[in-house]
Amino acid sequence: MSKLLTGGDLRARDHHRIEDDAREEGPLHPVTLPNGVRMQVVTVGLELTRQLLTDQRLSKDSAKLQREIKRQLAERGSTQENLAGLFGPSMLNSDNPQHARLRALAVKAFNGKAVQQLAPRIEEISAELIAGLPENEEIDLVAELAVPMPMHIIGEVLGLPAEDRAHVRVLIETMMSMEPEVSQPASDELGGYFHALLTGNGLDPRSLFGVLATAADDDGDHLSHDELMAMAFLLVVAGHETSAGLIANVVHDALDNGLWHKVAEDPELVPRLVEETLRHNSPVRSATHRIATEPVEIGGTTIPENTLLLINLGAAGRCPQAHEKAGEYRLDRETTGHATFGHGPHFCLGSALARLETETVLWQLTSRFPRTTYAGGERPEVTHNDIMASLKSLPVVLRR
């Protein structure tokens, strides 16, 4: 089932069929990453997906994950990779109580109140970018809007200097590719950049990075340098990649399903459109890596201790037991049942920000360009890694 990672013919929606077929075939599918690391992809219904996302036997502990990955690499005679980037000791790669400690230090910057305070600036940045887009000619909305807009936002929240953000974006995209020969050097370079930023004198003390660098929990415990570095990787990568992919997918889905004009006429449909894309066509295909700390039975099959897992979220969102005609994209359903942002303690910290960014872009685009059309072929090409599926480009013509 390696197609669960490669996405078949690398066309939008093809991975839907692959994931849905896999869910019907069974719960567990062995896959091998390009670097040779072996794991199981879990494709089950929504209810069981939620149970697994909260199962304490499926650990997210950084040390356990790194140890098993390095063991497999050594077994193959491969060079030991530097796993401190995406597998560093962040709140994403930790279990309680460490997870709760790390999350408490960052949650104030991403809760609903804090995100709403960002709303005017998000509207301003989105409007500035959209105002610079040409009308009545083909443009790539991914390159011109979906990618740069979230980087501007997360850059301001975290305190990334404006002149660095474009290069950071390139490093993230390279690191998230499925090509080890380029992804590892990009990860190393990004780590060096964060080290210089977090230990230098130019950090804005009012930014989230500035706050985290000096923040303490209730016991006066500060983040270690390794924890701060891991937090930097997590917040920059997650804060950019997921929002960029979601913006592109929502615009594509509105055009592809003939809903653009309808949304332009009724802006109150925008949140519903965003939620249906999250359920049906999220750019986040799988929850991040877990490792079994003991034998665990999943859908009638037992996996051994130290099995690495990816829990697929796309198949869960289109679960026929959870949604009527789940394979169809519809705005007349109550889309409250998906696990795109996770479930339980690791529910995505940036979910409110991602929703607000995407809704803001769609409101502004549909109101300004209500006659926009898709300018590409039948299905746009996507890029894949083990977690994300993102549109490579989205050719459109913006029309008033």
Side-chain angles (χ1 to χ4, degrees), residues 86-120:
L86 294 179
F87 291 97
S90 69
M91 56 187 168
L92 184 67
N93 298 319
S94 60
D95 300 323
N96 284 331
Q98 177 74 346
H99 169 261
R101 166 183 168 265
L102 294 172
R103 191 178 178 100
L105 291 169
V107 69
K108 290 182 180 179
F110 292 97
N111 63 27
K113 181 179 179 180
V115 169
Q116 284 305 316
Q117 290 176 344
L118 288 171

Side-chain angles (χ1 to χ4, degrees), residues 82-327:
N82 176 9
L83 303 175
L86 294 179
F87 291 97
S90 69
M91 56 187 168
L92 184 67
N93 298 319
S94 60
D95 300 323
N96 284 331
Q98 177 74 346
H99 169 261
R101 166 183 168 265
L102 294 172
R103 191 178 178 100
L105 291 169
V107 69
K108 290 182 180 179
F110 292 97
N111 63 27
K113 181 179 179 180
V115 169
Q116 284 305 316
Q117 290 176 344
L118 288 171
R121 182 60 181 144
I122 291 174
E123 292 176 5
E124 184 179 7
I125 291 174
S126 178
E128 289 174 356
L129 289 171
I130 290 174
L133 299 177
E135 301 178 38
N136 302 316
E137 63 181 76
E138 183 177 322
I139 64 166
D140 177 9
L141 205 71
V142 169
E144 300 294 333
L145 181 62
V147 168
M149 189 255 190
M151 180 54 73
H152 278 294
I153 300 298
I154 200 65
E156 290 198 3
V157 171
L158 299 179
L160 294 180
E163 63 271 19
D164 296 347
R165 293 171 194 169
H167 185 56
V168 169
R169 188 175 73 216
V170 171
L171 290 177
I172 291 172
E173 292 168 353
T174 306
M175 184 179 69
M176 295 292 288
S177 72
M178 298 186 72
E179 303 172 10
E181 64 275 11
V182 295
S183 61
Q184 188 59 54
S187 177
D188 293 341
E189 184 177 347
L190 192 59
Y193 170 79
F194 287 145
H195 173 78
L197 179 67
L198 296 169
T199 58
N201 297 322
L203 197 59
D204 184 349
R206 299 166 298 178
S207 68
L208 181 56
F209 278 167
V211 171
L212 290 174
T214 57
D217 61 18
D218 293 339
D219 298 321
D221 186 19
H222 292 267
L223 289 173
S224 70
H225 180 67
D226 286 348
E227 289 172 339
L228 191 56
M229 288 285 290
M231 188 79 81
F233 266 95
L234 168 62
L235 294 176
V236 173
V237 174
H240 171 259
E241 284 290 299
T242 53
S243 294
L246 181 58
I247 289 170
N249 280 12
V250 166
V251 172
H252 170 264
D253 288 346
L255 294 170
D256 188 54
N257 290 280
L259 298 170
W260 191 267
H261 295 166
K262 186 175 183 179
V263 173
E265 294 173 354
D266 185 2
E268 292 188 3
L269 290 175
V270 165
R272 189 176 291 270
L273 187 78
V274 172
E275 213 62 25
E276 179 68 346
T277 292
L278 284 166
R279 180 198 72 85
H280 181 268
N281 187 30
S282 169
V284 182
R285 301 176 67 198
S286 295
T288 49
H289 306 73
R290 284 166 165 78
I291 184 169
T293 58
E294 61 182 82
V296 178
E297 186 268 325
I298 299 177
T301 302
T302 299
I303 60 171
E305 182 180 355
N306 291 326
T307 299
L308 294 171
L309 292 173
L310 288 173
I311 300 174
N312 184 271
L313 304 175
R318 296 183 300 276
C319 169
Q321 285 72 44
H323 300 286
E324 182 181 356
K325 297 182 178 179

Side-chain angles (χ1 to χ4, degrees), residues 336-365:
T336 56
H338 64 74
T340 296
F341 288 122
H343 187 69
H346 284 277
F347 184 83
C348 177
L349 193 65
S351 60
L353 180 60
R355 282 186 170 108
L356 181 58
E357 288 177 345
T358 307
E359 290 174 4
T360 300
V361 167
L362 199 61
W363 271 319
Q364 293 185 356
L365 278 177

Side-chain angles (χ1 to χ4, degrees), residues 14-54:
D14 191 61
H15 58 274
H16 294 185
R17 176 183 55 78
I18 293 168
E19 292 167 345
D20 293 346
D21 287 350
R23 184 190 59 237
E24 298 305 313
E25 290 170 9
L28 293 165
H29 310 275
V31 298
T32 302
L33 299 181
N35 62 2
V37 173
R38 303 179 304 279
M39 60 182 58
Q40 296 276 352
V41 176
V42 181
T43 55
V44 293
L46 182 61
E47 181 178 356
L48 182 52
T49 294
R50 287 174 168 164
Q51 292 176 19
L52 293 173
L53 290 173
T54 59

Side-chain angles (χ1 to χ4, degrees), residues 61-72 83:
D61 180 75
S62 171
K64 293 184 177 72
L65 290 165
Q66 290 200 42
R67 184 164 55 245
E68 174 59 19
I69 292 171
K70 289 179 178 179
R71 185 196 68 78
Q72 290 195 31
L83 303 175

